[in-house]
mmCIF file of all heavy atoms in Angstrom:
data_model
loop_
_atom_site.group_PDB
_atom_site.id
_atom_site.type_symbol
_atom_site.label_atom_id
_atom_site.label_comp_id
_atom_site.label_asym_id
_atom_site.label_seq_id
_atom_site.Cartn_x
_atom_site.Cartn_y
_atom_site.Cartn_z
ATOM 1 N N TRP H 11 -1.339 15.630 5.944
ATOM 2 C CA TRP H 11 -0.445 14.547 5.856
ATOM 3 C C TRP H 11 -1.179 13.259 5.622
ATOM 4 O O TRP H 11 -2.322 13.075 6.052
ATOM 5 C CB TRP H 11 0.413 14.430 7.122
ATOM 6 C CG TRP H 11 1.257 15.497 7.547
ATOM 7 C CD1 TRP H 11 2.555 15.697 7.256
ATOM 8 C CD2 TRP H 11 0.877 16.594 8.327
ATOM 9 N NE1 TRP H 11 3.078 16.778 7.835
ATOM 10 C CE2 TRP H 11 2.028 17.463 8.424
ATOM 11 C CE3 TRP H 11 -0.320 17.100 8.931
ATOM 12 C CZ2 TRP H 11 2.082 18.692 9.206
ATOM 13 C CZ3 TRP H 11 -0.319 18.321 9.586
ATOM 14 C CH2 TRP H 11 0.852 19.035 9.723
ATOM 15 N N HIS H 26 -9.562 -8.901 -3.871
ATOM 16 C CA HIS H 26 -10.551 -9.955 -3.910
ATOM 17 C C HIS H 26 -11.496 -9.867 -2.649
ATOM 18 O O HIS H 26 -12.173 -10.889 -2.391
ATOM 19 C CB HIS H 26 -9.824 -11.280 -3.926
ATOM 20 C CG HIS H 26 -9.085 -11.578 -5.273
ATOM 21 N ND1 HIS H 26 -9.795 -11.485 -6.482
ATOM 22 C CD2 HIS H 26 -7.898 -12.009 -5.461
ATOM 23 C CE1 HIS H 26 -8.868 -11.791 -7.423
ATOM 24 N NE2 HIS H 26 -7.703 -12.087 -6.880
ATOM 25 N N VAL H 39 3.512 11.585 3.117
ATOM 26 C CA VAL H 39 3.386 12.645 2.150
ATOM 27 C C VAL H 39 2.814 13.832 2.787
ATOM 28 O O VAL H 39 1.744 13.722 3.487
ATOM 29 C CB VAL H 39 2.461 12.257 1.020
ATOM 30 C CG1 VAL H 39 2.245 13.338 0.000
ATOM 31 C CG2 VAL H 39 3.249 11.034 0.146
ATOM 32 N N PRO H 47 -9.736 30.972 -5.719
ATOM 33 C CA PRO H 47 -11.055 31.335 -5.903
ATOM 34 C C PRO H 47 -11.699 30.577 -7.181
ATOM 35 O O PRO H 47 -12.870 30.828 -7.435
ATOM 36 C CB PRO H 47 -10.994 32.828 -6.107
ATOM 37 C CG PRO H 47 -9.611 33.058 -6.704
ATOM 38 C CD PRO H 47 -8.747 31.930 -6.087
ATOM 39 N N GLY H 90 -16.788 13.240 -8.257
ATOM 40 C CA GLY H 90 -17.839 12.264 -8.439
ATOM 41 C C GLY H 90 -18.787 12.186 -7.236
ATOM 42 O O GLY H 90 -20.006 11.824 -7.442
ATOM 43 N N LEU H 95 -14.947 21.294 -6.674
ATOM 44 C CA LEU H 95 -14.837 22.326 -5.587
ATOM 45 C C LEU H 95 -13.734 23.249 -6.010
ATOM 46 O O LEU H 95 -13.354 23.487 -7.147
ATOM 47 C CB LEU H 95 -14.409 21.627 -4.314
ATOM 48 C CG LEU H 95 -15.394 20.428 -3.942
ATOM 49 C CD1 LEU H 95 -14.882 19.736 -2.576
ATOM 50 C CD2 LEU H 95 -16.757 21.029 -3.708
ATOM 51 N N LEU H 163 -5.463 6.125 5.918
ATOM 52 C CA LEU H 163 -6.520 6.891 6.625
ATOM 53 C C LEU H 163 -6.737 6.573 8.102
ATOM 54 O O LEU H 163 -6.726 7.348 8.942
ATOM 55 C CB LEU H 163 -7.900 6.808 5.905
ATOM 56 C CG LEU H 163 -8.049 7.574 4.534
ATOM 57 C CD1 LEU H 163 -9.240 7.038 3.835
ATOM 58 C CD2 LEU H 163 -8.058 9.027 4.775
ATOM 59 N N SER H 165 -5.338 4.081 10.378
ATOM 60 C CA SER H 165 -4.421 3.310 11.235
ATOM 61 C C SER H 165 -4.313 4.130 12.591
ATOM 62 O O SER H 165 -4.498 5.271 12.675
ATOM 63 C CB SER H 165 -3.003 3.074 10.658
ATOM 64 O OG SER H 165 -3.148 2.160 9.526
ATOM 65 N N THR H 171 -3.104 -2.746 11.546
ATOM 66 C CA THR H 171 -4.491 -2.347 11.084
ATOM 67 C C THR H 171 -5.113 -3.652 10.329
ATOM 68 O O THR H 171 -4.777 -3.877 9.193
ATOM 69 C CB THR H 171 -4.639 -1.144 10.255
ATOM 70 O OG1 THR H 171 -4.024 -0.127 11.130
ATOM 71 C CG2 THR H 171 -6.086 -0.783 10.022
ATOM 72 N N ALA H 187 5.496 -5.137 22.246
ATOM 73 C CA ALA H 187 6.584 -4.093 22.505
ATOM 74 C C ALA H 187 7.957 -4.615 22.171
ATOM 75 O O ALA H 187 8.836 -3.885 21.781
ATOM 76 C CB ALA H 187 6.508 -3.690 23.946
ATOM 77 N N ASP H 188 8.124 -5.880 22.141
ATOM 78 C CA ASP H 188 9.460 -6.459 21.821
ATOM 79 C C ASP H 188 9.602 -6.854 20.328
ATOM 80 O O ASP H 188 10.645 -7.417 19.976
ATOM 81 C CB ASP H 188 9.834 -7.572 22.759
ATOM 82 C CG ASP H 188 8.939 -8.853 22.532
ATOM 83 O OD1 ASP H 188 7.833 -8.782 22.027
ATOM 84 O OD2 ASP H 188 9.508 -9.999 22.740
ATOM 85 N N ALA H 216 -6.368 -13.117 -13.160
ATOM 86 C CA ALA H 216 -6.308 -14.533 -12.961
ATOM 87 C C ALA H 216 -7.069 -15.059 -11.749
ATOM 88 O O ALA H 216 -7.789 -16.122 -11.897
ATOM 89 C CB ALA H 216 -4.797 -14.979 -12.855
ATOM 90 N N ASP H 218 -9.761 -13.525 -10.515
ATOM 91 C CA ASP H 218 -11.133 -13.367 -10.792
ATOM 92 C C ASP H 218 -11.604 -14.578 -11.655
ATOM 93 O O ASP H 218 -12.665 -15.079 -11.530
ATOM 94 C CB ASP H 218 -11.395 -12.006 -11.550
ATOM 95 C CG ASP H 218 -11.291 -10.820 -10.534
ATOM 96 O OD1 ASP H 218 -11.258 -11.056 -9.307
ATOM 97 O OD2 ASP H 218 -11.086 -9.769 -11.073
ATOM 98 N N ALA H 231 -16.125 -17.571 0.309
ATOM 99 C CA ALA H 231 -16.841 -18.835 0.267
ATOM 100 C C ALA H 231 -15.921 -20.005 0.001
ATOM 101 O O ALA H 231 -16.330 -21.186 0.137
ATOM 102 C CB ALA H 231 -17.922 -18.758 -0.716
ATOM 103 N N ASP H 235 -12.631 -24.715 1.994
ATOM 104 C CA ASP H 235 -12.631 -25.871 1.103
ATOM 105 C C ASP H 235 -11.639 -25.733 -0.010
ATOM 106 O O ASP H 235 -11.950 -26.114 -1.156
ATOM 107 C CB ASP H 235 -14.013 -26.342 0.607
ATOM 108 C CG ASP H 235 -14.135 -27.676 0.150
ATOM 109 O OD1 ASP H 235 -13.244 -28.534 0.415
ATOM 110 O OD2 ASP H 235 -15.099 -28.086 -0.594
ATOM 111 N N LEU H 243 -9.392 -26.950 -11.016
ATOM 112 C CA LEU H 243 -8.758 -26.098 -11.903
ATOM 113 C C LEU H 243 -7.626 -26.728 -12.515
ATOM 114 O O LEU H 243 -6.879 -27.498 -11.867
ATOM 115 C CB LEU H 243 -8.336 -24.720 -11.226
ATOM 116 C CG LEU H 243 -9.439 -23.900 -10.545
ATOM 117 C CD1 LEU H 243 -8.836 -22.778 -9.709
ATOM 118 C CD2 LEU H 243 -10.205 -23.201 -11.652
ATOM 119 N N ALA H 264 -4.198 -16.395 10.766
ATOM 120 C CA ALA H 264 -3.243 -16.873 11.702
ATOM 121 C C ALA H 264 -2.295 -15.794 12.232
ATOM 122 O O ALA H 264 -1.913 -15.837 13.450
ATOM 123 C CB ALA H 264 -2.501 -17.998 11.046
ATOM 124 N N VAL H 282 7.515 -15.885 6.023
ATOM 125 C CA VAL H 282 8.335 -16.834 5.066
ATOM 126 C C VAL H 282 7.434 -17.666 4.210
ATOM 127 O O VAL H 282 7.644 -17.711 2.969
ATOM 128 C CB VAL H 282 9.240 -17.793 5.929
ATOM 129 C CG1 VAL H 282 9.887 -18.736 5.036
ATOM 130 C CG2 VAL H 282 10.203 -16.955 6.730
ATOM 131 N N ARG H 289 6.327 -15.841 -4.466
ATOM 132 C CA ARG H 289 7.338 -16.213 -5.431
ATOM 133 C C ARG H 289 6.964 -17.361 -6.381
ATOM 134 O O ARG H 289 7.141 -17.229 -7.610
ATOM 135 C CB ARG H 289 8.596 -16.579 -4.599
ATOM 136 C CG ARG H 289 9.834 -17.048 -5.381
ATOM 137 C CD ARG H 289 10.948 -17.687 -4.519
ATOM 138 N NE ARG H 289 10.386 -18.904 -3.943
ATOM 139 C CZ ARG H 289 10.625 -19.279 -2.718
ATOM 140 N NH1 ARG H 289 11.506 -18.587 -1.903
ATOM 141 N NH2 ARG H 289 10.220 -20.574 -2.309
ATOM 142 N N ASP H 290 6.411 -18.465 -5.811
ATOM 143 C CA ASP H 290 6.248 -19.672 -6.601
ATOM 144 C C ASP H 290 4.893 -19.779 -7.228
ATOM 145 O O ASP H 290 4.712 -20.323 -8.358
ATOM 146 C CB ASP H 290 6.540 -20.896 -5.628
ATOM 147 C CG ASP H 290 7.814 -20.963 -5.020
ATOM 148 O OD1 ASP H 290 8.792 -20.260 -5.645
ATOM 149 O OD2 ASP H 290 8.075 -21.493 -3.989
ATOM 150 N N THR H 317 6.956 -7.096 0.257
ATOM 151 C CA THR H 317 5.820 -6.420 0.592
ATOM 152 C C THR H 317 5.337 -5.454 -0.518
ATOM 153 O O THR H 317 6.237 -4.752 -1.099
ATOM 154 C CB THR H 317 5.978 -5.676 2.010
ATOM 155 O OG1 THR H 317 4.717 -5.014 2.346
ATOM 156 C CG2 THR H 317 6.998 -4.525 1.807
ATOM 157 N N GLY H 320 5.104 -6.176 -5.424
ATOM 158 C CA GLY H 320 6.267 -7.070 -5.944
ATOM 159 C C GLY H 320 6.911 -6.452 -7.172
ATOM 160 O O GLY H 320 6.884 -5.241 -7.396
ATOM 161 N N PHE H 321 7.553 -7.341 -7.947
ATOM 162 C CA PHE H 321 8.400 -6.875 -9.179
ATOM 163 C C PHE H 321 9.512 -5.912 -8.725
ATOM 164 O O PHE H 321 9.779 -5.072 -9.606
ATOM 165 C CB PHE H 321 7.353 -6.239 -10.177
ATOM 166 C CG PHE H 321 6.144 -6.952 -10.451
ATOM 167 C CD1 PHE H 321 4.964 -6.558 -9.992
ATOM 168 C CD2 PHE H 321 6.147 -8.111 -11.231
ATOM 169 C CE1 PHE H 321 3.744 -7.260 -10.251
ATOM 170 C CE2 PHE H 321 5.029 -8.845 -11.480
ATOM 171 C CZ PHE H 321 3.767 -8.386 -10.968
ATOM 172 N N CYS H 329 11.939 -8.847 13.613
ATOM 173 C CA CYS H 329 12.970 -9.364 14.515
ATOM 174 C C CYS H 329 12.579 -8.966 15.928
ATOM 175 O O CYS H 329 11.689 -8.155 16.208
ATOM 176 C CB CYS H 329 14.281 -8.860 14.123
ATOM 177 S SG CYS H 329 14.436 -7.092 13.976
ATOM 178 N N ILE H 359 14.823 1.150 6.766
ATOM 179 C CA ILE H 359 14.251 1.974 7.677
ATOM 180 C C ILE H 359 13.529 1.232 8.759
ATOM 181 O O ILE H 359 12.973 0.067 8.602
ATOM 182 C CB ILE H 359 13.181 3.006 6.992
ATOM 183 C CG1 ILE H 359 12.080 2.225 6.346
ATOM 184 C CG2 ILE H 359 13.879 3.807 5.977
ATOM 185 C CD1 ILE H 359 10.948 3.042 5.783
ATOM 186 N N ASP H 360 13.462 1.784 9.997
ATOM 187 C CA ASP H 360 12.745 1.235 11.065
ATOM 188 C C ASP H 360 11.233 1.490 10.811
ATOM 189 O O ASP H 360 10.826 2.734 10.627
ATOM 190 C CB ASP H 360 13.137 1.807 12.347
ATOM 191 C CG ASP H 360 14.520 1.552 12.828
ATOM 192 O OD1 ASP H 360 14.875 0.341 12.659
ATOM 193 O OD2 ASP H 360 15.369 2.420 13.106
ATOM 194 N N LEU H 370 -3.899 11.685 12.825
ATOM 195 C CA LEU H 370 -2.793 12.598 12.992
ATOM 196 C C LEU H 370 -3.175 13.905 13.667
ATOM 197 O O LEU H 370 -4.189 14.481 13.341
ATOM 198 C CB LEU H 370 -2.107 12.901 11.681
ATOM 199 C CG LEU H 370 -1.304 11.702 11.135
ATOM 200 C CD1 LEU H 370 -0.945 12.020 9.615
ATOM 201 C CD2 LEU H 370 -0.040 11.424 11.920
#
Side-chain angles (χ1 to χ4, degrees):
W11 295 266
H26 293 307
V39 171
L95 306 178
L163 285 166
S165 292
T171 302
D188 67 335
D218 289 341
D235 201 15
L243 297 167
V282 173
R289 180 193 64 214
D290 300 334
T317 186
F321 312 106
C329 56
I359 63 177
D360 295 311
L370 284 169

